Amino acid sequence: MIQTAGGWIVADMPYQRMKDYLDELDRRGLLRRIAAPVDRAWQPACLAKWMYQALPDDERFGLMFEHVIGSRIPLVTGALGASTHTYAAALEIEPDRINEKLMAALINPIAPRSVNTAPCQEIVNEGEKVRLSDLPIPTWTPGKDAAPYLTTIVVTRDANGGFQNMAVYRTQVLDDRSVVINLSPGRHGFRCVRSFLDQGKPAPIAWVIAAEPAVHIATVANLVYGSEEVHFAGGLKGEPIELVKATTIDLRVPAAAEIIIEGEIHPGETANEGPFGEFAGFMGPVGERPRARIRAITHRRDPIYYGYTSQMPPSESTVIQSLTNAGVILKLLRHDLGEHSVHDVHIDLTFGGLLAHGVVAMTPAYPGHGKRVGRILTDLTPLKRVTVVDADVDIRDPVHLEWAMNSRFDPARDTVIIDDVYFPLHMDPSIRTADGKLAPGSKMVIDATQKIDAGSFSLPPRDMMLKALDLWRDLGLPEFRIPRRAWLRIDKS
Ligand SMILES: Cc1cc2nc3c(=O)[nH]c(=O)nc-3n(C[C@H](O)[C@H](O)[C@H](O)COP(=O)(O)O)c2cc1C
């Protein structure tokens, strides 16, 4: 790693395993190791909940529970998505270059490489030796969830196309050798599994625990069906992700992972899943979902267990999904649709990128351009609200965003309500009906770009403001970091 003037790192070599990344977080004080014994039934989850409920983004850190009672394996949560800072560290860049890196990797994906031996298979447990209870799988909403849950990457394969899909689908532990997965219709993992079951064959499925950070980040991207997330992950890592054939099923899994759980879903086998605390902040209902038989658990000699913290937002799940999908949307607008007027995209970090609030910074080229881009996004993405502002606004700064809304947005003229947009997401509580059925929801575009030139900013000229910085220092007033908002303003003063 190379230290920059800003205190951040630039990668000279990508992380080869999750442990490399955790060591780097440790060096920066962004990981807390907890040596005291913890009860996985409630303690790790409640501590993680306090971190997300009490601490602001830039003060949060990953948690490593070194001694989980009843397991020999440490449990990590929150390390990838504690904050924008940890997410940027996972990508081995500075926080202000996240979208740039995501776009570059989406445009230049790197295909995976097959290997014959893998660290994730140093130890292979089959038959009687398969015991999910050996893993430190926590209960995430203690007192309310049905059981402990795996919250990690799920690999499936399309029986016809042959391609593999990676996504995170929460998975409830039923007993030592069976689980039920929250696979809902429309999700790519569901389509893969169906492609086997429809032919009367068992569907292979694997859970990947703690792969290289690039794999985790790529996995939550909303890509089109058939576009393999592992290629995006390779682009992020800057080299091919190594895949190895699973030991008991026909799937290829990340070789550098800490732990792999291999399973099969047999035709007609389902179970009740839930209740479970969902990302929108409410308990999700019980539903019938595919059940899987676990055939093997393979792992490194010294494995680490990783589980994402989700439930009440903000959470690790909302941070990583929002940051990743902002990059996916920026690439869609600029690269796929040729909207070079768009400079930047941000999704609020509190709702997982789904149903959330997307903010676009752009330079409109003609009247109505802002509304048009907003409409496109509401159509092509699961965002519920899209706000469009000029490129002179820092879209990650709520103070600056509020100023743009107050000074450049006229509600009657600049709002577009798009009614009856059917988006089948039962976890949006705002459109749930009393009988539990799905109702059509609506979306909103706010065009807060400047429609006429409102004149000069009411700040002294740039030279004078910079001279006043010296005066500030000479007078011994407390030091401060100049926010991007201020630079954008004085640059135009
Ligand atoms: C912690 C966490 C849990 C998630 N749980 C689920 C889930 O249970 N079901 C689901 O459909 N999506 C879930 N997601 C979101 C999907 O993983 C994500 O949208 C992914 O891109 C979907 O991939 P797909 O388009 O290949 O289906 C979860 C995401 C995270 C980070």
Side-chain angles (χ1 to χ4, degrees):
M1 299 293 158
I2 301 163
Q3 197 85 15
T4 68
W8 291 97
I9 50 144
V10 179
D12 54 353
M13 185 181 153
Y15 304 122
Q16 296 302 319
R17 63 178 285 198
M18 177 65 83
K19 192 173 172 302
D20 297 341
Y21 167 64
L22 296 175
D23 289 346
E24 176 56 28
L25 283 191
D26 220 355
R27 272 193 285 280
R28 296 197 211 173
L30 289 173
L31 181 77
R32 300 295 161 97
R33 291 173 188 270
I34 291 152
V38 290
D39 178 355
R40 71 184 104 165
W42 71 279
Q43 289 174 323
C46 289
L47 294 171
K49 298 289 180 274
W50 270 122
M51 186 169 61
Y52 285 97
Q53 293 308 308
L55 299 184
D57 182 86
D58 57 359
E59 288 179 23
R60 296 197 290 252
F61 41 82
L63 287 164
M64 180 185 250
F65 298 96
E66 293 176 326
H67 182 178
V68 179
I69 298 166
S71 176
R72 296 155 63 104
I73 302 172
L75 158 68
V76 180
T77 190
L80 293 160
S83 67
T84 313
H85 298 296
T86 59
Y87 183 93
L91 286 180
E92 302 180 79
I93 40 141
E94 306 200 23
D96 60 358
R97 294 194 42 225
I98 290 175
N99 274 350
E100 199 185 312
K101 171 121 193 199
L102 293 169
M103 284 233 296
L106 287 162
I107 294 168
N108 306 295
I110 298 178
R113 177 171 51 218
S114 288
V115 292
N116 294 325
T117 54
C120 70
Q121 294 175 346
E122 283 169 351
I123 309 288
V124 177
N125 297 294
E126 291 180 32
E128 292 297 305
K129 282 160 85 188
V130 172
R131 279 187 304 270
L132 286 171
S133 54
D134 285 347
L135 306 178
I137 309 171
T139 300
W140 291 105
T141 329
K144 297 187 180 175
D145 281 358
Y149 268 74
L150 298 163
T151 51
T152 191
I153 301 165
V154 176
V155 187
T156 50
R157 182 162 61 83
D158 185 286
N160 308 311
F163 52 84
Q164 293 201 163
N165 191 72
M166 286 200 205
V168 181
Y169 307 120
R170 69 176 193 241
T171 300
Q172 178 184 334
V173 176
L174 294 173
D175 54 52
D176 261 347
R177 282 183 273 282
S178 61
V179 296
V180 51
I181 314 123
N182 182 38
L183 272 177
S184 33
R187 283 306 204 191
H188 296 166
F190 185 90
R191 286 170 70 175
C192 285
V193 166
R194 272 289 292 275
S195 69
F196 280 89
L197 302 186
D198 285 351
Q199 298 177 23
K201 296 178 186 161
I205 183 164
W207 290 260
V208 177
I209 293 165
E212 308 96 304
V215 177
H216 284 263
I217 286 174
T219 293
V220 293
N222 292 133
L223 305 180
V224 292
Y225 189 60
S227 164
E228 296 190 75
E229 287 81 5
V230 73
H231 292 236
F232 174 29
L236 288 175
K237 190 176 174 186
E239 60 185 44
I241 302 297
E242 294 192 337
L243 296 181
V244 67
K245 196 177 168 312
T247 59
T248 59
I249 50 171
D250 191 7
L251 275 185
R252 295 191 306 151
V253 294
E258 300 287 318
I259 305 170
I260 303 286
I261 302 172
E262 303 178 5
E264 263 174 359
I265 300 174
H266 288 250
E269 292 193 2
T270 60
N272 276 341
E273 188 270 331
F276 182 77
E278 286 189 341
F279 77 90
F282 296 89
M283 293 303 296
V286 178
E288 192 183 350
R289 297 281 189 239
R291 175 189 171 114
R293 306 178 195 177
I294 305 304
R295 298 201 42 192
I297 299 179
T298 74
H299 57 83
R300 288 174 179 264
R301 266 187 212 98
D302 58 343
I304 293 166
Y305 181 90
Y306 198 101
Y308 289 120
T309 294
S310 185
Q311 300 78 49
M312 178 59 79
S315 71
E316 177 166 35
S317 147
T318 67
V319 170
I320 59 165
Q321 292 194 79
S322 299
L323 290 170
T324 305
N325 285 305
V328 172
I329 289 173
L330 186 57
K331 185 257 182 181
L332 172 78
L333 288 171
R334 284 181 64 88
H335 183 263
D336 302 346
L337 302 178
E339 271 294 357
H340 294 287
S341 58
V342 172
H343 295 251
D344 202 4
V345 173
H346 177 66
I347 298 177
D348 81 276
L349 298 185
T350 66
F351 226 70
L354 284 171
L355 313 166
H357 182 197
V359 189
V360 178
M362 67 178 287
T363 308
Y366 50 84
H369 197 177
K371 276 188 185 168
R372 178 164 181 270
V373 167
R375 276 204 197 90
I376 291 173
L377 276 197
T378 53
D379 250 4
L380 296 184
T381 71
L383 293 172
K384 186 149 66 166
R385 279 178 299 150
V386 176
T387 298
V388 186
V389 295
D390 294 288
D392 66 355
V393 175
D394 179 357
I395 55 177
R396 292 169 186 81
D397 179 343
V399 174
H400 212 179
L401 208 52
E402 283 299 322
W403 171 83
M405 296 284 291
N406 291 333
S407 66
R408 294 175 171 173
F409 164 66
D410 174 52
R413 185 193 59 192
D414 298 329
T415 309
V416 185
I417 302 285
I418 305 163
D419 213 349
D420 291 341
V421 190
Y422 183 70
F423 204 81
L425 282 170
H426 74 277
M427 64 280 235
D428 180 353
S430 71
I431 57 168
R432 226 176 253 165
T433 57
D435 60 5
K437 295 222 171 78
L438 292 171
S442 60
K443 298 198 174 199
M444 179 166 73
V445 175
I446 290 174
D447 177 6
T449 57
Q450 186 167 241
K451 314 301 175 307
I452 50 140
D453 185 356
S456 174
F457 283 157
S458 50
L459 274 174
R462 186 177 203 276
D463 291 355
M464 211 180 280
M465 286 296 282
L466 295 183
K467 230 161 84 183
L469 279 179
D470 295 335
L471 180 61
W472 180 284
R473 269 182 228 112
D474 292 347
L475 294 171
L477 294 169
E479 281 186 24
F480 57 79
R481 193 186 59 82
I482 302 176
R484 186 157 173 263
R485 167 181 82 237
W487 281 122
L488 286 164
R489 287 170 166 171
I490 63 170
D491 279 348
K492 283 180 76 176
S493 294

